């Protein structure tokens, strides 16, 4: 993989393990148009890269990903063409993440929120430091959880817990996320690098074809579910991006005030 192909991802490969870091530390790695475009391509690039056997997804500067960049989201409100483009790109991210056959590990240190949370949950292993938090607060900004939350959470924690967190947007601390099965493991912050590296090396040094095809078999069922769930969730997320509640939520967030939704 060529690191110069990306505008907001930092990519490096050592001994057939490729680390992909979301690289907007000044914004807690919030996803803007550049990073969003990078994410539509990176999973396919990893799958096709002959020098990569295992991948690690992480974030730069003490955060994993704070979700959508608020000014970027605000710029889309009411713009039908841009909303359609972004929703199509979201679906490509989902499709390529689920078709990636090589093992991928999420190393989360800090917040993993919104699409950032979905990116972590698309990974085969999710290791998080004790200070990390997870959540899909789309409803908090007047949106449908359309970029993976409605698909992934019910499969990982069951429908009752998925409803509890997706319909409120509440965040979960890493120890609780591990307890309910949302993530693989919560580890002390000082141990996270070694823990992730050890599992990445185990995947690299294992029976790679067997691991690869087992992963593909596991994801085959998830991809079938995704065909129904993501189509509906993504399309309705696009609709909610055209609502007044969406604008109200974004403007309240920027003003550091609670939103007062009007239901339209």
């Amino acid at each position: 993989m060529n690191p110069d192909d990306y505008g907001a991802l930092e990519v490096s490969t050592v001994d057939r393990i490729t680390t992909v870091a979301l690289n907007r530390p000044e914004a807690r790695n919030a996803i803007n148009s550049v990073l969003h475009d990078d994410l539509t391509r990176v999973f396919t690039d990893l799958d096709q890269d002959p020098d990569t056997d295992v991948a690690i997804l992480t974030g730069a500067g003490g955060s994993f990903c704070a979700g959508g960049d608020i000014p970027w989201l605000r710029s889309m409100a009411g713009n039908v063409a841009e909303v359609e483009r972004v929703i199509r790109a979201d679906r490509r991210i989902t499709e390529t993440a689920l078709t990636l056959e090589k093992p991928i590990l999420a190393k989360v240190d800090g917040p993993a929120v919104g699409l950032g949370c979905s990116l972590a949950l698309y990974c085969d292993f999710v290791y998080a430091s004790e200070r990390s938090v997870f959540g899909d607060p789309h409803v908090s900004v007047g949106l449908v959880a359309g970029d993976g939350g409605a698909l992934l959470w019910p499969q990982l924690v069951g429908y009752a817990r998925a409803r509890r967190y997706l319909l409120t947007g509440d965040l979960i601390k890493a120890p609780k996320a591990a307890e309910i099965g949302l993530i693989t493991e919560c580890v002390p912050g000082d141990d996270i690098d070694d823990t992730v590296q050890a599992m990445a090396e185990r995947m690299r040094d294992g029976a790679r074809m067997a691991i690869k095809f087992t992963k593909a078999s596991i994801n085959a069922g998830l991809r079938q579910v995704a065909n129904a769930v993501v189509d509906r969730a993504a399309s309705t997320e696009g609709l909610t991006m055209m609502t007044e509640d969406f604008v109200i939520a974004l403007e309240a967030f920027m003003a550091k005030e609670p939103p007062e939704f009007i239901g339209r």
Side-chain angles (χ1 to χ4, degrees):
M1 294 176 65
N2 183 356
D4 295 334
D5 289 343
Y6 305 101
L9 291 175
E10 187 177 77
V11 179
S12 61
T13 303
V14 179
D15 295 332
R16 308 193 65 79
I17 298 172
T18 296
T19 298
V20 176
L22 310 180
N23 192 29
R24 297 190 68 229
E26 73 286 353
R28 297 190 299 166
N29 301 318
I31 296 168
N32 64 358
S33 60
V34 175
L35 183 50
H36 200 255
D37 181 65
D38 287 347
L39 291 168
T40 65
R41 297 178 283 113
V42 70
F43 295 111
T44 299
D45 293 346
L46 286 167
D47 220 21
Q48 296 177 349
D49 181 27
D51 298 320
T52 297
D53 290 327
V54 181
I56 297 170
L57 182 65
T58 191
S63 295
F64 184 78
C65 176
D69 183 77
I70 297 298
W72 178 55
L73 294 176
R74 181 65 181 87
S75 73
M76 283 187 277
N79 187 333
V80 176
E82 182 63 9
V83 167
E84 181 185 16
R85 187 191 71 79
V86 169
I87 293 301
R88 286 179 179 273
D90 274 342
R91 292 173 66 181
R92 283 198 300 276
I93 293 170
T94 295
E95 291 165 3
T96 56
L98 292 178
T99 55
L100 171 62
E101 293 187 343
K102 297 172 183 177
I104 181 166
L105 298 81
K107 181 168 65 174
V108 179
D109 186 24
V113 178
L115 178 53
C117 182
S118 294
L119 289 172
L121 300 185
Y122 281 126
C123 296
D124 305 300
F125 302 88
V126 184
Y127 294 102
S129 68
E130 293 169 320
R131 74 182 193 91
S132 299
V133 293
F134 295 82
D136 196 322
H138 275 72
V139 295
S140 300
V141 290
L143 295 179
V144 172
D147 55 29
L151 167 68
L152 297 165
W153 285 65
Q155 307 302 316
L156 292 167
V157 301
Y159 281 89
R161 283 196 176 110
R163 293 186 185 104
R164 161 67 181 84
Y165 289 105
L166 294 178
L167 298 181
T168 63
D170 288 348
L171 303 182
I172 310 175
K173 294 182 180 180
K176 179 69 172 180
E179 177 187 331
I180 67 175
L182 186 69
I183 65 173
T184 307
E185 188 176 347
C186 174
V187 299
D190 291 343
D191 296 340
I192 191 167
D193 289 342
D194 290 342
T195 300
V196 172
Q197 185 66 24
M199 183 56 76
E201 291 177 4
R202 182 174 177 180
M203 291 294 99
R204 180 198 63 194
D205 298 338
R208 288 194 298 273
M209 295 296 284
I211 292 170
K212 172 180 172 180
F213 293 141
T214 297
K215 170 178 175 171
S217 298
I218 292 169
N219 278 8
L222 191 55
R223 289 170 63 189
Q224 285 189 324
V225 177
N227 288 336
V229 173
V230 175
D231 277 353
R232 180 179 181 87
S235 63
T236 51
E237 182 181 17
L239 289 177
T240 52
M241 292 179 81
M242 307 302 295
T243 63
E244 291 180 58
D245 276 347
F246 177 52
V247 176
I248 288 168
L250 295 179
E251 292 183 347
F253 185 92
M254 289 187 287
K256 299 182 179 180
E257 298 173 351
E260 295 184 8
F261 294 118
I262 59 175
R264 62 177 186 269

